[in-house]
Amino acid sequence: MLQRLLVAIALLALTSACAAKLVRDPLPAQHVDTAQVAGLPQIRFWGDAAPPDFDAFANRHAALFRKHYADELAAGEPITLHFLALSGGAEDGAFGAGLLKGWTASGTRPEFWLVTGVSTGALMAPFVFLGPEYDHVLREIYTELDATSLFELAPFKALFGGTAVTKTEPFKRTIARYVDEALLEAVAAAHAEGRNLFVATSNLDAGRPMIWDLGELADSGDPRALQLFRDILLASAAIPGVFPPVMFDVVAGGQTYDELHVDGGVGAQVFTYPLQVTPRRLDAAVGRPIDRELYVIRNTRLIPAYEAVDPRAVPIAERSLAVLISRQGLGDIFRIYTAAKRDGLAFHLAYIPPEFDHPLPKPFDQAYMGALFELGYEMGRSGTAWSDAPPGVAIEPAERQ
């Protein structure tokens, strides 16, 4: 469905006339690696490079780790940190929401030291990060809300030089309804314990993924923190051309400029941390090895269902885009799996099984999302959701133990 909207945008672009455009003061290319949100230099870093202050980050978290796990460290007990990566997938986020609620019901859901999110996964991430007491929010968002809670169609905006075919004022109101000062304070408290909440956007000017440290932002005490938190979530889910991009003001070289950010899924459908860093750096700072479990929830099917394509321009383009996104997501999973093997993380993957065939008559259809939520719930409750490798990867018997 969303692919169809993107194809429609491309057709509109072919026929659009000159019109008023978004007024910008874009960041010059020479400042791309030094620009920061004024007064908040530590709330973001590139998703494809090591953070410039990663040693400081590791040392800070090592100190918090030693404080939080003082008794276990003193007793020499093993310690396991749990990571969770939530992918994009639009309305298919109902799968992950249901899985997490079912996981809670099973009594085996851990507390996560790191939660990352992209697009619909970014919208889920703060509530997942804060734990099972927010499961009711996930259920409400993914079973009771529909497209009218996210956007209003405005196709003439794109036809006459606008940035998208929708208005997202409903989406902004929905985010504001759930992301309030109380949630910000709860995220800040968890961050102060050393836990981490990262979401990704795509810096469209630079053509690179940007990771935002929402825990650092929530804990900053900056009066702009709540609105900026909301804007980052909006940007991470801003499907290009469908939803308007989000502009962020940044400073560089003593001047203020703007950056244009869109859906984090443009850069990666799912992520954990840049390949240029390793969690083992924390082990070195702590002075002992730490066990880690990584869970990846891919909020879609891994391989698109077979479909006999109508040989016309729009269906061909729609199907091709769907396959492109699917293959990108699969590549992201293999990259994460490779990094997990390198860094000694136990890997677990959940995704929508190919047998799920409930029809999706329109974007964010409640019946579809409700059925998908229930499927995820049963898989999470029963413990059948997880595989220890991407499909097609053989696991040696020793790795299963």
Side-chain angles (χ1 to χ4, degrees):
M1 285 292 174
L2 292 174
Q3 286 82 13
R4 189 168 299 163
L5 282 172
L6 288 171
V7 172
I9 291 162
L11 295 176
L12 282 171
L14 294 175
T15 59
S16 62
C18 294
K21 297 181 180 179
L22 184 68
V23 177
R24 298 195 56 195
D25 187 7
L27 179 74
Q30 65 267 28
H31 294 309
V32 71
D33 285 323
T34 58
Q36 56 186 246
V37 178
L40 295 168
Q42 310 207 342
I43 66 166
R44 64 183 207 162
F45 53 92
W46 292 116
D48 57 4
D53 56 351
F54 183 63
D55 283 345
F57 175 91
N59 290 332
R60 172 183 176 273
H61 281 272
L64 291 169
F65 181 90
R66 284 191 291 267
K67 179 180 179 181
H68 190 70
Y69 291 101
D71 293 341
E72 292 86 346
L73 289 169
E77 297 176 0
I79 299 170
T80 301
L81 300 180
H82 298 89
F83 293 15
L84 176 67
L86 301 163
S87 87
E91 59 272 304
D92 284 348
F95 171 74
L99 189 157
L100 285 153
K101 187 170 177 58
W103 199 356
T104 298
S106 76
T108 62
R109 176 176 162 182
E111 179 181 78
F112 297 108
W113 186 83
L114 169 67
V115 175
T116 70
V118 173
S119 196
T120 197
L123 299 177
M124 299 165 60
F127 310 108
V128 177
F129 179 68
L130 294 176
E133 59 268 35
Y134 283 84
D135 282 355
H136 71 283
V137 177
L138 293 177
R139 182 198 57 75
E140 184 174 325
I141 290 173
Y142 285 98
T143 65
E144 297 182 14
L145 303 185
D146 59 16
T148 62
S149 302
L150 300 177
F151 59 83
E152 299 173 21
L153 287 174
F156 289 106
K157 286 179 61 181
L159 184 60
F160 294 106
T163 59
V165 295
T166 69
K167 299 178 182 179
T168 49
E169 278 67 23
F171 197 7
K172 294 176 184 177
R173 291 192 293 268
T174 296
I175 291 174
R177 172 182 170 188
Y178 293 105
V179 178
D180 55 15
E181 288 286 358
L183 181 133
L184 201 69
E185 291 173 5
V187 170
H191 176 75
E193 295 177 354
R195 296 170 55 216
N196 300 274
L197 173 61
F198 297 159
V199 304
T201 63
S202 296
N203 182 322
L204 202 57
D205 301 310
R208 298 174 65 185
M210 179 70 74
I211 296 176
W212 299 80
D213 186 338
L214 294 187
E216 185 74 22
L217 173 61
D219 199 30
S220 69
D222 192 288
R224 301 165 294 171
L226 179 59
Q227 188 57 53
L228 187 54
F229 196 110
R230 292 169 174 170
D231 288 345
I232 293 165
L233 296 183
L234 180 68
S236 186
I239 302 165
V242 178
F243 296 167
V246 176
M247 268 199 322
F248 292 98
D249 289 333
V250 295
V251 293
Q255 303 269 349
T256 299
Y257 303 100
D258 61 64
E259 296 174 346
L260 211 59
H261 287 245
V262 296
D263 194 321
V266 172
Q269 290 294 309
V270 62
F271 77 100
T272 49
Y273 47 83
L275 287 174
Q276 293 82 358
V277 303
T278 171
R280 292 184 188 274
R281 175 65 183 81
L282 179 62
D283 297 20
V286 171
R288 59 164 285 181
I290 302 164
D291 294 329
R292 294 177 177 84
E293 299 267 344
L294 168 61
Y295 297 87
V296 179
I297 297 178
R298 180 67 176 116
N299 288 303
T300 188
R301 299 165 182 83
L302 289 192
I303 305 296
Y306 178 84
E307 178 183 327
V309 178
D310 184 351
R312 292 179 295 142
V314 170
I316 290 170
E318 177 187 353
R319 177 63 171 178
S320 298
L321 184 57
V323 172
L324 176 65
I325 293 171
S326 175
R327 302 309 293 188
Q328 177 202 7
L330 192 57
D332 293 332
I333 289 169
F334 273 95
R335 183 167 59 251
I336 291 170
Y337 176 75
T338 300
K341 296 291 105 178
R342 179 196 69 183
D343 297 333
L345 282 69
F347 178 91
H348 312 283
L349 171 66
Y351 53 91
I352 299 174
E355 296 79 16
F356 181 76
D357 59 359
H358 196 286
L360 177 62
K362 60 181 184 291
F364 303 98
D365 179 71
Q366 283 188 329
Y368 174 89
M369 294 168 70
L372 194 50
F373 183 93
E374 289 303 319
L375 172 67
Y377 178 87
E378 287 304 320
M379 292 176 67
R381 184 187 61 80
S382 64
T384 58
W386 305 105
S387 59
D388 293 338
V393 175
I395 302 297
E396 296 297 327
E399 292 185 77
R400 295 193 181 99
Q401 298 175 0

